[in-house]
Amino acid sequence: MEDEVVLLDFWPSSFAMRVKIALGEKGIKYKCKQEDLFNKSTLLLEMNPIHKKIPVLIHNGKPISESLIILQYIDQVWNHKSPLLPSDPYQRSQALFWADYIDKKIYSIGRRVWMGKEDQEEAKEELMQCLKTLERELGDKLYFGGQNIGVVDVALVPFTTWFYSYETCGNFSIEAGCPKLVAWAKRCKENYRSVSEALPHPLQIYEYVMELKKRLGLV
Amino acid sequence: MGEVKLVGTWVSPYTYRIKWALKLKGIAFDYIEEDLCNKSALLLQYNPIHKKVPVFFHGGKPICESMVIIEYIEEIWPHNPLLPTDPYERAMLRFWIKYAEDKGPSMWMVGEGQHKAEQNSLEMLKIIEEKALGDKKFFGGDNISMLDIVLGLGHWLGGEKLLEAHKLHRLHVWLKNFKQVPVIKEDLPDLDAMLAYLRRQREMSPATH
């Protein structure tokens, strides 16, 4: 019986991009359904009734939500190639720690940066601190996963397509503070088709952000 | 294989998760109580990112973040499993744990006299009761799982009357059974102290996602 894999997606979402990269790396065929988050489909509401959010991976009719949980599921089920997590339990725990760190910080701080309200300066500082911490963790490695991308790379790289928006809305340069991290992002896109295909162009994200800001009455 | 150490604090539910998990698996460990008002050099060295407890050591190597620790423990000592082996069941359990963690602070609002917050909390409890527990004895089925531990450390420890009053009958029965599990029964935390600790934490940290 062939596997049926469907992804409920929203193209600017960094969380959904993570899943697309993972599916790409594993060579899994899937149907991608675009959601309009201002007009959620009945399928989305049925498959993720608790949070009503994307991404949702539907595998043979069974839904899984929360991007890091989806990544771990994908890694466990399709374990024949491109492992996302290290096989050594200790290394795995370190990878999960950093993926969790990215989850706790980047989205919410980044949001405060592009929204441009009174806490923007504070948010910019926090963002740079987090990115510098991650840059230190990367060290001299090619990728967070070592010689190949792993779960930490997959968790972080989608946010890099939002860097231009953070920088423009916040009037600062991420590359100036974290050149190695920006270089790492370039490397991921150049060497991994799954990454370059999953990430929209930064200008497209910026256009989306400006539209969102208009909708929210912030411009 | 290496000695096992846990650095924690008696008022932290996150520390309790690890203690109970280790005890349920019969793993011997050294426990070091951390004074959070005067954080030790040990803690700052091994958890420089978050500077929090618990920190778990196996053969001298540190691991932080309670759920990351639990996944590690489960892998090294798979007997008396706390997580399902089936990938889908495991994903569902992780989902509910995350749900409980994200909604946790609001869940403590039940009984605090803030009507709207109380309504939200009751809604969440009803969802958990219906979708995660159903007709099972424990969230893990016949035996307790990590989800039972995480939820058991919610303010419901001691909150039986509350569950009864709001007609969350199945959760009420679940809690009674949970507190009868030998490892749990012999090491019940001081709920009031734990709640006070969590409230202080919430006040201190900025808004999270």
Side-chain angles (χ1 to χ4, degrees):
Chain A
M1 193 188 82
E2 228 195 59
D3 272 326
E4 214 221 338
V5 182
V6 177
L7 175 66
L8 300 185
D9 180 31
F10 181 56
W11 69 269
S13 160
S14 299
F15 302 104
M17 287 177 219
R18 290 172 171 180
V19 182
K20 285 189 269 204
I21 297 171
L23 291 169
E25 278 304 291
K26 301 272 184 182
I28 300 162
K29 288 204 180 78
Y30 66 101
K31 271 197 209 110
C32 193
K33 289 203 162 124
Q34 280 305 313
E35 282 289 329
D36 173 2
L37 295 187
F38 295 100
N39 190 16
K40 295 177 182 180
S41 72
T42 21
L43 182 65
L44 174 58
L45 299 176
E46 191 190 309
M47 292 287 141
N48 190 358
I50 305 291
H51 298 301
K52 307 177 178 55
K53 285 184 179 173
I54 58 91
V56 181
L57 187 77
I58 309 172
H59 184 203
N60 295 330
K62 298 202 283 199
I64 302 131
S65 336
E66 298 298 324
S67 62
L68 284 188
I69 294 176
I70 296 172
L71 292 185
Q72 287 182 276
Y73 176 82
I74 288 174
D75 208 38
Q76 208 181 339
V77 173
W78 290 280
N79 54 14
H80 59 295
K81 75 184 256 208
S82 303
L84 296 172
L85 286 159
S87 49
D88 172 69
Y90 186 72
Q91 295 305 322
R92 196 198 296 256
S93 76
Q94 299 309 291
L96 288 174
F97 172 85
W98 286 107
D100 173 72
Y101 175 81
I102 292 162
D103 252 16
K104 281 183 162 75
K105 304 277 186 186
I106 308 295
Y107 176 79
S108 52
I109 300 175
R111 193 180 155 87
R112 284 158 57 214
V113 171
W114 67 253
M115 283 188 102
K117 294 181 170 169
E118 330 75 43
D119 61 350
Q120 192 188 48
E121 283 310 306
E122 196 188 306
K124 277 158 66 177
E125 256 187 66
E126 280 177 45
L127 183 67
M128 287 315 293
Q129 252 179 45
C130 288
L131 294 178
K132 285 198 170 103
T133 299
L134 287 163
E135 200 180 54
R136 266 194 305 271
E137 174 55 26
L138 177 66
D140 292 320
K141 302 196 293 289
L142 277 179
Y143 306 103
F144 288 92
Q147 292 295 105
N148 297 301
I149 60 172
V151 70
V152 182
D153 302 90
V154 177
L156 184 60
V157 81
F159 290 107
T160 64
T161 206
W162 282 70
F163 280 3
Y164 177 77
S165 300
Y166 299 153
E167 289 171 316
T168 311
C169 294
N171 192 24
F172 69 121
S173 163
I174 292 178
E175 182 159 14
C178 296
K180 276 180 155 185
L181 203 65
V182 171
W184 156 82
K186 246 197 202 134
R187 209 158 39 237
C188 290
K189 284 191 291 227
E190 280 170 7
N191 297 332
Y192 286 86
R193 204 162 81 163
S194 59
V195 175
S196 59
E197 284 181 350
L199 267 50
H201 195 280
L203 287 174
Q204 286 178 299
I205 297 287
Y206 181 67
E207 232 179 80
Y208 166 72
V209 170
M210 292 317 284
E211 242 183 73
L212 198 54
K213 283 178 83 156
K214 265 190 220 131
R215 264 209 221 229
L216 295 169
L218 294 168
V219 281
Chain B
M1 237 210 130
E3 64 167 9
V4 180
K5 247 201 259 255
L6 176 65
V7 175
T9 175
W10 67 282
V11 283
S12 160
Y14 305 101
T15 299
Y16 256 89
R17 290 177 181 182
I18 314 299
K19 268 210 285 176
W20 279 347
L22 291 168
K23 285 183 179 182
L24 283 163
K25 290 181 181 269
I27 301 161
F29 64 101
D30 278 331
Y31 176 70
I32 299 167
E33 178 70 26
E34 179 72 21
D35 175 4
L36 293 183
C37 297
N38 191 15
K39 292 181 179 179
S40 69
L42 182 76
L43 178 65
L44 298 176
Q45 182 187 359
Y46 290 110
N47 192 358
I49 303 294
H50 299 302
K51 305 182 179 53
K52 284 180 177 175
V53 292
V55 181
F56 178 80
F57 293 84
H58 185 208
K61 296 195 285 197
I63 304 170
C64 312
E65 290 303 306
S66 63
M67 281 320 295
V68 175
I69 297 168
I70 292 295
E71 300 247 6
Y72 176 84
I73 289 173
E74 189 68 16
E75 236 188 307
I76 302 288
W77 297 281
H79 61 279
N80 297 355
L82 294 170
L83 298 172
T85 41
D86 173 73
Y88 188 74
E89 296 303 315
R90 189 174 276 224
M92 287 316 294
L93 199 102
R94 284 181 178 137
F95 174 85
W96 287 115
I97 290 176
K98 186 165 199 293
Y99 180 75
E101 292 197 310
D102 288 347
K103 306 289 181 185
S106 329
M107 289 210 263
W108 311 326
M109 303 281 225
V110 178
E112 291 207 349
Q114 300 181 59
H115 184 74
K116 181 146 201 261
E118 195 170 299
Q119 286 302 109
N120 285 339
S121 303
L122 282 173
E123 264 313 302
M124 290 166 211
L125 289 172
K126 281 190 192 128
I127 288 174
I128 294 227
E129 187 184 61
E130 196 190 302
K131 307 238 175 197
L133 183 64
D135 293 319
K136 305 196 296 283
K137 181 178 183 189
F138 296 114
F139 288 91
D142 289 327
N143 297 303
I144 67 173
S145 69
M146 206 49 222
L147 183 56
D148 295 88
I149 291 179
V150 168
L151 291 170
L153 284 162
H155 83 304
W156 307 322
L157 266 176
E160 284 164 277
K161 289 209 175 78
L162 208 56
L163 294 178
E164 205 177 84
H166 289 283
K167 302 200 171 54
L168 292 164
H169 178 69
R170 281 179 290 182
L171 276 178
H172 181 213
V173 171
W174 162 79
L175 189 58
K176 265 205 160 74
N177 286 327
F178 180 73
K179 284 161 83 169
Q180 289 307 307
V181 173
V183 160
I184 310 296
K185 190 171 178 175
E186 69 191 26
D187 190 9
L188 289 175
D190 179 333
L191 179 70
D192 291 327
M194 200 173 265
L195 264 181
Y197 166 79
L198 288 168
R199 279 193 201 112
R200 266 198 319 272
Q201 287 258 297
R202 198 180 4 154
E203 277 156 30
M204 285 193 312
S205 62
T208 53
H209 65 283

